[in-house]
Amino acid sequence: MRICVVGTGYVGLVVGVCIADQGFQVTCVDRDQGKIDSLNAGMVPIYEPGLEDILRRVSREQRIRFTVDGASAMAESDVIFIAVGTPPSSDGSADLSAVLGVAAEIGDSIRGPVTVVIKSTVPVGTASRVRSEVTSRTDHPVNVVSNPEFLKEGAAIADFTHPDRIVVGTDSAEARDVMQQLYGGLVRTGRPIVFMDNQSAELTKYASNTLLATKISFMNELSRLCEAVGADIESVRMGTGSDSRIGPKFLFAGAGFGGSCFPKDIRALKHMGEEAGVELQIPNAVESINRRQKLLLGEKVIKRFGGDLAGVCVAVWGLTFKPRTDDVRESPALVLIRQLIDAGAVVRATDPEGMVEASEMLADLAGRVEFVDSAHDAATGADAAVLVTEWSEFRNPDFLALKAVMRSPVLFDGRNVFMPGVVEQAGFEYH
């Protein structure tokens, strides 16, 4: 079975490399010749632990190749994955122009029966639109499958090879057999392939991400109540998460969530509700809570220093929206930095992987944010240090050494990862 993956962004690249690692012949397609040349040389343009090692192995074994010639790749393939971006439009809806453009190219290129698998995150009804676009351009039999991805940045390889479940939307027995063959090796330990109709599969992706974001936002809102009444959010988290009906995951209060999935998918789900005439109140509340939570950390810093941060130097630890990624999209750190700069502060920031991307996102602040190599360098001469992203590198600093180089030992813990007693014993003021 010959596989074509269109799009070598985060999802497409992980899917293509991991399917090749399962023994299939894979061709990945992208319009960016520079990216294609790098990938054919074994270099991965994103930070995802383990991905480059697998790419180099499957490249040596000639199970994967990369090309800009989409038509030829599609013509020789049995299964074509669509894994292009669906960025949000101004009204929050998903922009499907790239997906439908690929569908048109598939229709123009294929030379025989094909299974089209939509891996991009798309709203309900997209499979039907893709099917219409492809079949309007070809007489060859075409099945369209909805197969949403559930990959966590920083753990994508494990998520692909050991999935909680695989969701497949199709009304075709033939397509179902194809997907069983593709994924059969990944579910031998009992994890299910959950088959359903296309519309339900499309909606499952949005439902899953919005529900996870709801858990985070509920705990973030509860953390504010805990602070007001003298309760400890970490104790509440452990007590709540111990209930098997709820579970311990996604209950960590912090500075808010970001990334490429949760914010975009919440807005898209809201838009789907509006289009269908159904008011979805929970996504609205989740988005509002998260927007408010991202401001909270900066407000704490500004309040601590009396509102005017002129002459105050603040070290920001962490720029990516989560550890083990270089993705800074909608990161709380970007909101914090803008708040601090607007209040007059000098900002010195660091991150193990995200500084290049963050500097691009903050290009309008060039010269006002200094990017340095370590938490220690960021804290040197600073009046406060703020942990925003809980990278392992930041979890266990030498507090005595930090105190010695800081102008004033004030620490704001945006992820509740430090033990207050330990920090305060080292002479820090802890928030």
Side-chain angles (χ1 to χ4, degrees):
M1 188 159 56
R2 296 162 299 180
I3 314 297
C4 174
V5 179
V6 184
T8 61
Y10 184 84
V11 173
L13 186 56
V14 171
V15 168
V17 169
C18 288
I19 288 178
D21 198 37
Q22 295 297 308
F24 294 100
Q25 289 295 132
V26 178
T27 301
C28 292
V29 176
D30 199 284
R31 293 180 176 179
D32 186 335
Q33 184 67 62
K35 180 189 284 190
I36 291 298
D37 291 341
S38 294
L39 289 167
N40 277 321
M43 294 182 289
V44 173
I46 60 173
Y47 178 74
E48 180 58 41
L51 186 60
E52 191 165 291
D53 292 338
I54 301 175
L55 170 61
R56 291 181 175 176
R57 182 174 67 249
V58 295
S59 295
R60 284 196 308 269
E61 296 167 356
Q62 297 184 337
R63 291 204 302 272
I64 196 168
R65 69 183 183 93
F66 299 89
T67 182
V68 294
D69 187 358
S72 297
M74 293 173 187
E76 62 187 25
S77 296
D78 306 298
V79 179
I80 302 172
F81 281 85
I82 300 178
V84 294
T86 54
S89 301
S90 58
D91 61 0
S93 62
D95 181 351
L96 296 178
S97 57
V99 170
L100 296 176
V102 173
E105 189 174 4
I106 291 171
D108 291 337
S109 303
I110 58 176
R111 298 175 185 168
V114 71
T115 300
V116 177
V117 181
I118 304 174
K119 205 69 179 170
S120 304
T121 300
V122 295
V124 173
T126 302
S128 178
R129 295 180 66 182
V130 168
R131 184 181 295 109
S132 296
E133 187 66 41
V134 176
T135 55
S136 70
R137 295 169 176 265
T138 184
D139 293 327
H140 295 297
V142 175
N143 288 314
V144 177
V145 173
S146 302
N147 178 215
E149 57 84 15
F150 298 98
L151 305 176
K152 297 187 296 293
E153 292 188 37
I157 306 302
D159 286 344
F160 189 93
T161 56
H162 298 86
D164 290 327
R165 81 294 197 199
I166 296 171
V167 173
V168 174
T170 181
D171 57 5
S172 163
E174 182 181 11
R176 179 174 176 143
D177 290 342
V178 168
M179 301 307 288
Q180 286 274 22
Q181 184 178 347
L182 264 176
Y183 290 134
L186 304 178
V187 294
R188 295 177 64 190
T189 57
R191 300 296 190 182
I193 300 179
V194 183
F195 289 98
M196 58 188 73
D197 58 85
N198 289 94
Q199 296 94 320
S200 297
E202 290 165 336
L203 189 54
T204 295
K205 168 69 173 181
Y206 292 99
S208 296
N209 277 356
T210 302
L211 186 55
L212 294 175
T214 300
K215 293 180 72 174
I216 295 171
S217 290
F218 176 70
M219 294 305 287
N220 281 340
E221 193 164 46
L222 205 61
S223 71
R224 296 167 61 198
L225 178 61
C226 285
E227 189 169 33
V229 302
D232 175 19
I233 188 61
E234 284 294 283
S235 297
V236 174
R237 174 185 66 80
M238 289 187 285
T240 303
S242 298
D243 188 326
S244 61
R245 297 169 300 174
I246 298 170
K249 295 182 179 180
F250 289 86
L251 293 181
F252 291 88
F257 60 78
S260 62
C261 292
F262 283 8
K264 175 173 72 76
D265 291 353
I266 290 167
R267 293 172 197 139
L269 184 61
K270 285 171 51 183
H271 181 80
M272 276 186 272
E274 291 165 2
E275 290 280 290
V278 178
E279 182 184 3
L280 300 175
Q281 296 183 24
I282 288 177
N284 278 315
V286 170
E287 185 176 46
S288 175
I289 293 166
N290 191 53
R291 188 165 50 246
R292 177 70 186 87
Q293 193 72 11
K294 286 184 179 182
L295 297 170
L296 188 62
L297 191 53
E299 289 171 355
K300 284 177 175 285
V301 178
I302 293 168
K303 180 180 178 181
R304 164 61 179 78
F305 289 95
D308 182 4
L309 270 59
V312 175
C313 178
V314 181
V316 174
W317 294 350
L319 297 165
T320 55
F321 82 95
K322 61 180 284 188
R324 294 171 63 83
T325 181
D326 58 359
D327 193 345
V328 301
R329 283 173 288 184
E330 306 218 27
S331 170
L334 304 184
V335 176
L336 170 68
I337 288 172
R338 292 189 181 279
Q339 283 177 282
L340 298 176
I341 293 293
D342 288 345
V346 174
V347 175
R348 196 179 299 131
T350 188
D351 189 279
E353 295 293 337
M355 287 198 287
V356 173
E357 290 75 8
S359 65
E360 293 172 354
M361 296 288 284
L362 297 170
D364 59 308
L365 298 179
R368 304 183 68 185
V369 181
E370 182 183 0
F371 296 95
V372 297
D373 291 334
S374 70
H376 186 276
D377 290 345
T380 300
D383 297 285
V386 186
L387 175 76
V388 189
T389 314
E390 64 276 31
W391 284 90
S392 297
E393 291 90 330
F394 303 150
R395 284 177 171 268
N396 293 289
D398 183 334
F399 288 112
L400 293 177
L402 282 174
K403 182 184 177 185
V405 299
M406 292 182 69
R407 192 154 58 190
S408 59
V410 182
L411 180 62
F412 293 85
D413 184 356
R415 297 296 174 184
N416 298 334
V417 299
F418 300 128
M419 297 179 65
V422 172
V423 179
E424 290 167 350
Q425 188 174 8
F428 275 79
E429 176 186 317
Y430 179 75
H431 297 267

